[in-house]
Amino acid sequence: MKLFWKVVNTFVVAISSSPLHIVLSNNILVLHITGMKTGKLYKIPVSYLEIESSKLCSVTDRENLWWRNLVNSQSTKVTHRGRLIDATLVSSKDDKDQIENYLDALCRHSRVDGFFAKVRYQNGEPLMNDIESAAQRMVAVTVSLHR
């Protein structure tokens, strides 16, 4: 399964900076993360939602180790809507309300996010019990774009 996601992520990263980015740009951006120990550049595609002008939110499972490189806010670059943009990334693993709010907004925006977070829906709305449960294993990531 790990190889599958490596192939998918490589494909998504390549499309995100090509003229075909329009296929993904409304839901996916690519974070450019530098490993704290290795100094290696990682390109991580994540689902996102714009919550304010130039401010995006995302969540990731705590099992995904890349977010640990964001211990403090990190100035970096992201590929957003086909363009490489300077950004500041901040992760939060302890703010339960923020994680739940981001996850709820993402699940309302895209059922794909709900699927990956194991959030069920009733009458088109994500179930709050599932949001609360999923949020316990998630980390919130705030992306501030510098335009």
Side-chain angles (χ1 to χ4, degrees), residues 89-108:
L89 309 178
V90 178
S91 67
S92 173
K93 68 178 179 73
D94 298 320
D95 189 339
K96 179 181 171 284
D97 290 336
Q98 181 185 41
I99 298 167
E100 285 179 8
N101 289 337
Y102 281 10
L103 182 58
D104 182 55
L106 284 160
C107 288
R108 289 175 187 281

Side-chain angles (χ1 to χ4, degrees), residues 49-56 80 143-147:
L49 180 64
E50 188 164 1
I51 52 177
E52 294 175 19
S53 178
S54 298
K55 186 175 179 182
L56 315 175
H80 181 251
V143 179
S144 299
L145 303 176
H146 308 291
R147 295 181 188 207

